[in-house]
Structures are given as C-alpha cells and as structure tokens.
Amino acid sequence: MAYNAGRISSYMLAGALAGGLAGGARNMTAIAGVQMSFYWLANLMLVALGLYLMNAWRGLAMLETGGRVLWQRAQPLISPAMKTLMPADTAAKSYALGALWGWLPCGMVYSALTTAMLSGSAADGAATMLAFGLGTLPMLTGLGLLGARVQQAMQRRPVRIACGLLVLAFGVIGLARAAGGVTPEWMEMLCLTPNH
C-alpha cells in the first residue's frame, strides 16, 4: 500500500503541475478556445488509449518512446536513489520507490495527464490524477497479490477489447459533446451532462 501511495502521490504532483500550468496559460491568454482545444485533445487521447488497450493502434507507444528518452536522461540521477531504497523493507522505502515509479513513461498516464491539464487548476489537476491513481489501484494491487494469474487474464484478447471499448466510448462521447453532436437527452440518460 505504501508503494501505491507513493505512485499516486507522484501522479497527483504531475496533475497539479499540468493543471496549474494550463490554468495559468488559459488565464493569461483569456481565450475560450484554449479550453475547448484541451477538451478535444483529452478526448482524442481517450480514443487513442482505447485503441491502444485493444491492440488496434499503437500510437501511444510513440509517446512512451519519447518519455523513455527523457527517462534515460533522468535515470543517472534517479538510479542511485533507487539502489539505496532496495530492498524496500520499510513503508518509507516502499513509498519512495512508488513515488519514483510514478514518473516512468506510460501512455495511460499521459492520457490522464491530458485530462488533468484540462481541469484548469493545480487542485483540480491533482484531484484528476488522484482519481486515475485510485482507479488503477485495484488492478495493480491485484497484480501484486495474484501476480501472473491476473496478468495472464488481462492479456486475453476479449478482456483487453472490452476495456478498450469502454475507454474508447468515453472518448467518442466526449468528442461528440465537443462537436455538439450528442443530444442533451441522450447525455442525461448516461449522466454525462455538465450538471452531473
């Protein structure tokens, strides 16, 4: 749990940075179109993530490659710290390792960070990434406890397609909302109107 708390803390910090920077930029430019552009980008990232989960399109792998380049430059600074934290035999060491892990390149995290950027403030960006981190907690805890058995189940094509379709559907609904193509009644049935 300490390891996952560290991971989620680093997600929240990244979300606060993304939301705060984007919010500041939006306030400085005072252009309403900036927020809508972020909204389009966030939903396009959801579509990309859904396709990535289904193994239908590997575009997010390119983003991960870019992230790996940055990670390789930061690794000489981080690797010594990781070595001092091993073995992770205390809660503090586990927390610190999790916090470092949260910065590893990951297409799913990039998708969530795009949404955090859309939030427009550091607090909302951190809350967005907290929700993302908590949403990943059952899966990662399950992987840690059940190991290969859960990982094997998640590699099954029907499971990946179902998960990918769910994420893809949210992205498509968001794009339809941005384009004005979803009727309010239809969105209300799915609790997707702004007042929900």
Side-chain angles (χ1 to χ4, degrees), residues 97-122:
L97 277 173
L100 289 173
W101 183 45
W103 296 100
L104 288 174
C106 174
M108 288 178 64
V109 174
Y110 299 154
S111 296
L113 273 175
T114 306
T115 304
M117 199 169 55
L118 176 64
S119 71
S121 75

Side-chain angles (χ1 to χ4, degrees), residues 4-182:
N4 280 295
R7 176 180 64 86
I8 292 170
S9 296
S10 64
Y11 290 168
M12 290 175 66
L13 176 59
L17 291 171
L21 290 173
R26 190 183 73 226
N27 290 339
M28 286 188 332
T29 58
I31 299 173
V34 171
Q35 187 172 11
M36 185 54 75
S37 298
F38 284 146
Y39 186 74
W40 276 93
L41 180 61
N43 285 291
L44 285 170
M45 288 294 284
L46 281 176
V47 168
L49 178 58
L51 294 171
Y52 180 80
L53 288 172
M54 293 186 298
N55 283 328
W57 183 66
R58 305 296 291 172
L60 285 180
M62 290 183 282
L63 272 178
E64 286 182 357
T65 302
R68 275 191 209 102
V69 170
L70 292 174
W71 176 253
Q72 285 169 352
R73 292 190 179 182
Q75 198 169 8
L77 301 171
I78 295 172
S79 288
M82 291 182 90
K83 285 179 184 171
T84 62
L85 296 172
M86 296 302 282
D89 50 5
T90 66
K93 285 182 177 181
S94 293
Y95 180 88
L97 277 173
L100 289 173
W101 183 45
W103 296 100
L104 288 174
C106 174
M108 288 178 64
V109 174
Y110 299 154
S111 296
L113 273 175
T114 306
T115 304
M117 199 169 55
L118 176 64
S119 71
S121 75
D124 290 343
T128 299
M129 293 308 289
L130 171 63
F132 170 76
L134 292 175
T136 61
L137 188 59
M139 172 60 67
L140 291 175
T141 304
L143 282 173
L145 295 174
L146 299 175
R149 199 175 292 176
V150 173
Q151 191 173 11
Q152 196 174 37
M154 285 307 296
Q155 294 305 317
R156 290 176 40 208
R157 185 167 168 75
V159 174
R160 287 188 66 88
I161 288 177
C163 293
L165 284 173
L166 182 63
V167 174
L168 178 66
F170 279 110
V172 169
I173 289 169
L175 291 173
R177 283 180 68 189
V182 180

